[in-house]
Structures are given as C-alpha cells and as structure tokens.
Amino acid sequence: MKRWLATAVLLLMAQSLVAQEAIEITRGTDKATPIAVVPFGWQGGSPLPEDLAQIASNNLRNTGMFAPFDRSNMLSNPTQPSEIFPRDWTMLGVEYVVAGRVTKDPAGDRFEVTYSLYSVVREEVLMSKTVSGTQGQLRDMAHHLSDEVFEEITGIRGAFNTKLLYVSAERFSAGNTRYTLQRSDYDGARATTLLQSREPILTPSYAPDGQRIAYVSFESRRPEIFIHYVQTGRRERITSFEGLNGAPAWSPDGQRLAFVLSRDGNPEIYVMELASKQMRRVTNHFGIDTEPTWMDNSTIAFTSDRGGRPQIYKTNISSGSAERLTFVGNYNANAKMSADGSTMVMVHRQDGNSNFHIAAQDLKRGNLRVLTQTSLDESPTVAPNGTMLIYATRQQGRGVLMLVSTNGRARSEIPTQFTDLRVPSWSPYLP
C-alpha cells in the first residue's frame, strides 16, 4: 500500500525513490543464435569515429535472440562474401556472418557502407546491400544495417533506429535541481536536450507519429500537461486544471490523449480529442484510477486500487465498464502494451516479496513472467517490435535506465552522461 501511495504522489511531486543498491544478474545466451559481426574494412588514414560492427553486434545482443561471437577469437576478418570460408566459422560454432566495408567519397563527406549477411549452414549469401550517409550518420547506418540483418533472419522488423526519451535530474544543492528532457538513440547515444527546467518534468510519452511528445511540467509550480513538437520545439499547454494533471498517454491513432485529473475531487481517467479539445471522463469510482495506457483505439488499461490493492484494469472509453486484468501478485501497476497488443508489461510485486520488478503478461493465455532481477523497478517502456524493454531502477543510490530483452536473456545498463535518470519512453518506428 505504501508503494501505491508513492505512485500517486509521484504524479504530483518529483520525489526520488529511497536509495537502495540494485543487483544486476546477467544471464547467459545459451539459446541465442551465434552470429559473427566482423570488424568492417576501412582504408582511411584515421580510424572511423564509430565502430559500425560493434554497434551492430551490441544491437543484436540486446534482443536476446543472438549471441555475437567475440571478435578477438575470429580466425579471419572478411569484408565481403568471397572472403568467407564456411569451414572456419563452422568450427567456431557460428551460424551467420555479417561482413562489410566502409569507403569515403574523396571529394566530400559521404560514406558508403556495403555489407552482407552470410549463412554458414547454407553456405550462401542471404543479403548484400549498400547504405550511404554523412559522417554524422554513421551510427544511423549501423542501426539501419542491424535492422536489415535482424529482419532477414527473424522475420521481425528491427527497432534499432528508434529513439528514447527520459528525464535526468542534476542536483547541485538542497533545493537546486535541474531537470532535463533528453532524447537519444535507443541505446543512449547522441543525447540532445529538448527541455530544461528547475521544476520537475514527468512521464514523457511519444505520439505514434514520433513527432510529438506529451509530458507533465511543474514549471508554473503545479502540474500541467504539455505537447512538445520535436522538430520545431513549439509547446502547447493541454491541461491546467486545479489539482492533479498527470500521466498523459497517446491513443494509437494519435488523435486523442488520455490522462489523469482530480478536478472533480478524485483521480480519474479522462480522454481529450486533440482537434476539438473536447474532453470525456472515462472512469468514475471512489478508488484511485491512474496511469492510463491504450490497448486499442477504444480500450484503455489503467491502474486502480478499487479492489483494495493496486491492480490493472481495462475499460471501454464509451461504456465505462471496467474489467480486471491482473491477478498474480499483490501489486501490479504502470502497464504498457506491446505493439501487437498481445503482451502487457508492468511493475509487479510477488506475494511475500518486498521488491518491485518488471513483468510481462500474455493477454491471451494469462501467464506472467518476471523479466528483471533488480529492485525498485518502475516505468517500463517497450520497443515497437516488442523484443526489448527499458525501465528505470536504482543502483548505488542513483537512478539508472536498464535494457532487458523480453525473452529475459539479455540485460544491460543504458550508458548516459547523467547520474540520475527516470521515466523512459521508447519512440515508435521513425522515418
């Protein structure tokens, strides 16, 4: 119950979680597919600013579906299919080889990356492609070729060329904290600041078009919901009611925004048509209803203590009738949906356990899997292809972001320059 009250307060205040060291346990990738991403050939006079092969290798490992082979143990460094000898890679237990080379236009700042995917078992080239761009786009090209390789092998669209939102908090002294809304690559690289404030910024959320962001700002000393336009930086205030204005969530069609208001005395879920600014109250209960997330264009899942403890319910926005979704554990909150709607991830606490973890529930079968082994886990956000998720937790008294594959095999910390991070949000697929 204490955790539930803290969750409600977080919508009003930017409180730090109680400092507690988190324990990271890294599992092996014994069932992952062995793949070798060979260092790319490059004949330039100085090293490339980005190691494309290492970026691609990290990307594939993060899904938990692949076990990249250590480059220091490779018997050769082929840069094209004709240099790949299947016998060597079979001996090493590798099933796929990614090889490529980078060339530069001597007359300009254009780089060309040619890469191939080779099946060792079938002894054939599955794919050969070329992508080009500027030096500043080398990391984009590495993510792009990772997407292509991933989809060719698995049949699942890759999600490496996506973006991540999160809030950093830099505490300079008592009563002097700077909050920044950051936007980075999904893996934490190339972070840029979208907004700075001396007051808290909470629950950023990407619109389905990837061009708008909704969040809660306390810049006027009370919570208000804003929409931020990524390309121009323009901001639009959406709600500024007395009391709670929190937890904005975009509808799948991007035309509506669900959020929590307490203007009628109790936290309830509301939905606004953004074009007309017409607003509808969706829930009506004496319990606390919060943390909406859309299951489809007519159904919202939300957290409520109407049953005595925080659990996740769903409601049709037209009828208002609610149905409970979670029954395993004594605490389930802050649900997020996979893009295909089959899986719901959430903050979960098992009966008899004091730690909060991230769990995934199959909405068709009802079975639940705990995905994390850290503690004080919160704010899960799912990759658009459902293969990975990122969440916030605590390590050595500071807020960090962790990535875990949804199959549970891979987990790692998102590296950033900041020391206290919270409320991540994964972008949709981007152009």
Side-chain angles (χ1 to χ4, degrees):
M1 188 63 184
K2 291 181 180 180
R3 172 72 178 191
W4 167 241
L5 292 175
T7 301
V9 172
L10 273 171
L11 293 171
L12 294 169
M13 303 175 61
Q15 294 179 330
S16 296
L17 293 171
V18 177
Q20 179 174 337
E21 183 174 0
I23 301 172
E24 178 186 355
I25 301 175
T26 303
R27 297 178 181 174
T29 54
D30 54 316
K31 295 182 180 179
T33 300
I35 189 170
V37 185
V38 183
F40 284 14
W42 165 245
Q43 300 299 320
S46 58
L48 284 168
E50 301 285 357
D51 187 336
L52 278 71
Q54 189 61 58
I55 294 170
S57 181
N58 292 341
N59 286 340
L60 296 171
R61 178 184 290 109
N62 285 340
T63 67
M65 297 182 184
F66 294 92
F69 191 76
D70 187 342
R71 61 172 60 178
S72 66
N73 294 327
M74 295 179 183
L75 300 178
S76 60
N77 289 331
T79 62
Q80 53 190 345
S82 61
E83 298 172 350
I84 298 173
F85 299 105
R87 182 182 60 184
D88 292 348
W89 298 102
T90 299
M91 183 174 63
L92 296 174
V94 172
E95 295 184 19
Y96 296 95
V97 176
V98 178
R101 60 188 182 277
V102 184
T103 57
K104 184 178 183 295
D105 178 3
D109 186 35
R110 300 291 297 181
F111 290 79
E112 187 174 89
V113 181
T114 301
Y115 59 96
S116 299
L117 171 64
Y118 185 87
S119 170
V120 176
V121 176
R122 293 161 57 179
E123 298 188 11
E124 67 177 0
V125 178
L126 302 181
M127 176 180 66
S128 286
K129 293 190 176 183
T130 299
V131 63
S132 63
T134 65
Q135 178 172 306
Q137 294 172 318
L138 285 171
R139 179 170 283 271
D140 297 308
M141 289 187 275
H143 289 319
H144 174 76
L145 71 89
S146 302
D147 286 338
E148 296 286 312
V149 168
F150 181 79
E151 184 170 3
E152 179 67 28
I153 297 175
T154 68
I156 303 170
R157 184 178 179 183
F160 308 117
N161 236 333
T162 51
K163 298 293 183 180
L164 180 68
L165 291 175
Y166 59 89
V167 174
S168 67
E170 299 172 278
R171 190 173 185 269
F172 301 106
S173 61
N176 183 17
T177 301
R178 180 174 64 194
Y179 301 90
T180 58
L181 178 61
Q182 300 290 331
R183 181 176 186 257
S184 71
D185 289 5
Y186 95 95
D187 56 6
R190 299 188 296 185
T192 59
T193 298
L194 299 180
L195 180 69
Q196 282 190 351
S197 176
R198 292 294 177 178
E199 302 299 330
I201 304 168
L202 300 178
T203 58
S205 176
Y206 260 111
D209 60 14
Q211 303 303 310
R212 295 169 293 167
I213 297 165
Y215 54 81
V216 177
S217 174
F218 280 71
E219 61 199 67
S220 63
R221 300 299 179 93
R222 61 190 183 91
E224 299 174 314
I225 297 175
F226 285 84
I227 288 180
H228 188 112
Y229 293 82
V230 175
Q231 297 300 321
T232 65
R234 182 172 73 86
R235 302 167 70 221
E236 178 185 1
R237 184 184 287 108
I238 298 300
T239 70
S240 184
F241 296 103
E242 289 295 324
L244 175 64
N245 297 254
W250 296 89
S251 62
D253 60 14
Q255 298 178 14
R256 289 161 294 174
L257 202 64
F259 41 75
V260 180
L261 301 177
S262 63
R263 65 173 191 166
D264 295 324
N266 197 55
E268 304 284 358
I269 310 297
Y270 292 76
V271 169
M272 176 183 286
E273 298 281 348
L274 293 173
S276 65
K277 299 299 188 292
Q278 292 295 312
M279 196 167 62
R280 171 190 297 178
R281 179 171 169 173
V282 174
T283 63
N284 189 357
H285 197 276
F286 60 82
I288 296 176
D289 296 335
T290 186
E291 298 173 338
T293 188
W294 295 77
M295 301 182 74
D296 54 47
N297 279 314
S298 60
T299 309
I300 290 176
F302 62 98
T303 307
S304 179
D305 67 349
R306 60 182 61 195
R309 291 181 180 271
Q311 296 291 345
I312 297 169
Y313 295 75
K314 70 175 181 178
T315 184
N316 183 283
I317 62 174
S318 297
S319 68
S321 59
E323 175 187 344
R324 183 168 164 178
L325 293 176
T326 54
F327 295 91
V328 178
N330 58 26
Y331 179 100
N332 291 287
N334 200 1
K336 297 293 188 300
M337 302 296 161
S338 63
D340 63 3
S342 65
T343 304
M344 178 174 68
V345 300
M346 70 202 83
V347 179
H348 169 79
R349 184 176 64 192
Q350 298 274 13
D351 295 327
N353 194 324
S354 61
N355 289 325
F356 295 87
H357 299 301
I358 306 301
Q361 179 172 316
D362 186 318
L363 291 174
K364 293 181 179 179
R365 298 178 178 85
N367 58 300
L368 182 142
R369 294 179 297 118
V370 176
L371 298 175
T372 65
Q373 296 178 339
T374 42
S375 58
L376 293 177
D377 303 340
E378 61 177 16
S379 304
T381 182
V382 187
N385 65 0
T387 61
M388 302 171 284
L389 65 88
I390 292 172
Y391 64 98
T393 189
R394 305 291 292 181
Q395 283 191 344
Q396 299 178 344
R398 65 188 183 94
V400 299
L401 303 182
M402 298 290 292
L403 182 147
V404 61
S405 62
T406 50
N407 62 19
R409 294 192 197 123
R411 47 173 57 87
S412 60
E413 181 179 337
I414 299 291
T416 75
Q417 67 188 74
F418 305 100
T419 57
D420 194 1
L421 311 176
R422 56 196 68 177
V423 290
S425 177
W426 211 311
S427 80
Y429 290 114
L430 301 171

